[in-house]
Amino acid sequence: MHSNQTDVIRYVMDEMDPSERLTFEKKLLSDENLLIEVESFKNTWKRTHSVPKVSAPKIVQQQILSQALTHADAKSNTTLISIISTHKYKIAAGFVLIVTALFSWGPKGVLEQTSSLVSNNNDTERRLESSVTNSKDRLELGFENNGQNNVQDKSLKPWIDNNQVIRFAGTTDLELTAQPSLNLSSEYSNKLRLVNDKTGYSSQSRKILLTGNTP
Amino acid sequence: MLKKLTSKKTTYHYKSLSDKELVILYRRDNNSEAFNELFTRYQSKIYSYIYSMVHHPDIANDLFQDTFTKVITKMDKNYNEEGKWIAWVMRIAHNATIDYLRKAKRFVNITASKSEDEGTDFFHRVEDEGSLNAAELYIQQEDKKRMFKHISRLPEDQRAVVMLRHYDELSFKEIAEITGVSINTALGRMRYALINLRKYFEEEQPSENDHAL
């Protein structure tokens, strides 16, 4: 189309920039036919403004709005799923990391706790054993577990103090259900009685100290 | 703008928000109130455009609903926030209308089958424009009816340009994009539409004079 013809429409429809508009208006002043054409188009366009606007029927409007609401609800419900599916690798990696951390910490902690208990017991045992080995005299002592064959013998040697009293000290493992039986070879042991030594004993390591002296 | 719209549950004054802000609220927060506001702003312009192109209330209703079904389902993927929302919606409405007209032309000539009574429903639903007395209202209604008939006589491509400009105040760049032609072609169509309308008005003048006599 001729540029002059498009300029007329652009001028009537107010689509020109200010400088173009000024130039065109100057041209209008010198061209009467162009001015008549512009005015004619302006009037015709003005008359089209009376073309009415009409709303869609209410029922159609309601259907569309409820459709939009349903769509929005469905979208918000799937948002969580989509987040999970979008970040599934990150979530899986995070889960693996947490599980690994728990496993690496858990058994270690348990082991540490167990080892500390074991070391406590060992210390107690060591202390008791040393007390036994430091004693001057030893005697043979055995505990029998009724119904079982695991008999543990410890050698304890008696010693005599300044008051001519026979004394001995030592430890031995004892099952809780076990009935202790003393197999002393000497007649001196007839008056010996079994005493509980509460010092240094724990529930994990029930032991009995045989001594003539109350601790 | 984006900072202003928090993603937390907030009560907005929707009427004061721009189209872009409303679109963000609907897309990001699934805020159906934002969509309601957009719909309320433009439904009559979109419906009027479709109606002016097909001249049949039931068909206009169907095309209007199809248009918004596409808008609702495709807004997340297809709408680019750089452009005007209404221009994007008008493109959907225009494509739906043109598709319908092309299909309809294969079977019947719809312009030939138009009756005088068609459009009655349209004018019953015309938006009220204030406090006019009965006589003024009648004159105005008749004037609108006449104008609508003239516009409906225009060829489709010219009518589309006139209606897109009139109802939606779109620029010729936007009209050219919607209708798939160059800006010069869109301007040319508008020029021919105005020439034709002028001719129809001139044809109308003698009959009006006859009535006066």
Side-chain angles (χ1 to χ4, degrees), chain A residues 139-156:
Chain A
L139 58 87
E140 291 291 322
L141 182 68
F143 285 94
E144 270 182 22
N145 188 358
N146 288 347
Q148 292 188 20
N149 293 325
N150 57 339
V151 178
Q152 292 181 336
D153 292 334
K154 298 268 178 178
S155 66
L156 297 170

Side-chain angles (χ1 to χ4, degrees), chain A residues 13 40 52 54 63 75, chain B residues 30 48 65 125 165 167 198:
Chain A
M13 299 290 159
S40 167
V54 68
Q63 279 170 356
K75 253 172 61 182
Chain B
N30 303 318
S48 301
Q65 205 153 9
R125 282 190 275 124
R165 181 72 184 184
Y167 286 128
R198 190 170 60 193

Side-chain angles (χ1 to χ4, degrees), chain B residues 111-168:
Chain B
T111 45
S113 67
K114 261 187 291 185
S115 72
E116 285 292 310
D117 294 332
E118 275 182 5
T120 314
D121 178 63
F122 180 94
F123 288 102
H124 282 155
R125 282 190 275 124
V126 166
E127 289 172 353
D128 190 15
E129 286 183 11
S131 55
L132 293 170
N133 64 40
E136 285 173 331
L137 201 67
Y138 176 78
I139 293 165
Q140 199 186 63
Q141 289 282 61
E142 285 300 303
D143 193 37
K144 281 177 181 176
K145 239 182 220 182
R146 230 177 12 250
M147 181 53 68
F148 197 77
K149 272 180 195 163
H150 292 321
I151 286 176
S152 65
R153 284 175 67 189
L154 289 172
E156 268 164 38
D157 51 355
Q158 293 172 25
R159 193 162 71 232
V161 175
V162 171
M163 293 290 98
L164 286 170
R165 181 72 184 184
H166 169 66
Y167 286 128
D168 303 301

Side-chain angles (χ1 to χ4, degrees), chain A residues 104-120:
Chain A
S104 63
W105 176 82
K108 195 180 174 185
V110 170
L111 281 171
E112 275 173 3
Q113 277 187 329
T114 314
S115 65
S116 69
L117 283 172
V118 168
S119 65
N120 281 344

Side-chain angles (χ1 to χ4, degrees), chain A residues 49-212:
Chain A
H49 292 355
S50 63
V51 175
K53 249 194 303 188
V54 68
S55 291
K58 287 281 173 205
I59 189 155
V60 176
Q61 289 186 36
Q62 281 165 2
Q63 279 170 356
I64 290 166
L65 291 176
S66 66
Q67 194 182 348
L69 183 68
T70 313
H71 187 75
D73 286 346
K75 253 172 61 182
S76 35
N77 287 341
T78 54
T79 303
L80 184 66
I81 297 164
S82 68
I83 287 168
I84 291 168
S85 64
T86 311
H87 303 290
K88 59 188 171 191
Y89 294 115
K90 288 178 189 172
I91 291 165
F95 180 75
V96 168
L97 200 68
I98 290 164
V99 168
T100 311
L102 278 172
F103 268 97
S104 63
W105 176 82
K108 195 180 174 185
V110 170
L111 281 171
E112 275 173 3
Q113 277 187 329
T114 314
S115 65
S116 69
L117 283 172
V118 168
S119 65
N120 281 344
N121 291 340
N122 287 345
D123 288 345
T124 313
E125 279 174 16
R126 238 177 275 127
R127 190 159 52 82
L128 290 169
E129 276 170 14
S130 66
S131 71
V132 169
T133 47
N134 286 341
S135 59
K136 292 176 185 174
D137 302 313
R138 292 171 187 275
L139 58 87
E140 291 291 322
L141 182 68
F143 285 94
E144 270 182 22
N145 188 358
N146 288 347
Q148 292 188 20
N149 293 325
N150 57 339
V151 178
Q152 292 181 336
D153 292 334
K154 298 268 178 178
S155 66
L156 297 170
K157 285 188 176 175
W159 56 280
I160 299 167
D161 66 3
N162 292 332
N163 299 322
Q164 295 296 310
V165 177
I166 188 166
R167 293 185 179 280
F168 56 90
T171 59
T172 185
D173 292 330
L174 176 68
E175 291 289 326
L176 286 173
T177 54
Q179 294 292 324
S181 65
L182 294 172
N183 296 320
L184 298 173
S185 55
S186 168
E187 286 182 357
Y188 305 115
S189 61
N190 286 339
K191 290 183 180 177
L192 286 178
R193 59 192 178 85
L194 196 64
V195 292
N196 284 325
D197 184 6
K198 289 175 182 169
T199 56
Y201 287 91
S202 66
S203 60
Q204 283 80 19
S205 171
R206 288 289 301 273
K207 294 179 180 179
I208 287 173
L209 176 68
L210 285 171
T211 180

Side-chain angles (χ1 to χ4, degrees), chain B residues 52-70:
Chain B
S52 69
M53 296 297 286
V54 296
H55 301 290
H56 196 288
D58 293 338
I59 294 162
N61 291 351
D62 287 348
L63 291 175
F64 182 72
Q65 205 153 9
D66 286 352
T67 301
F68 272 96
T69 301
K70 280 180 188 165

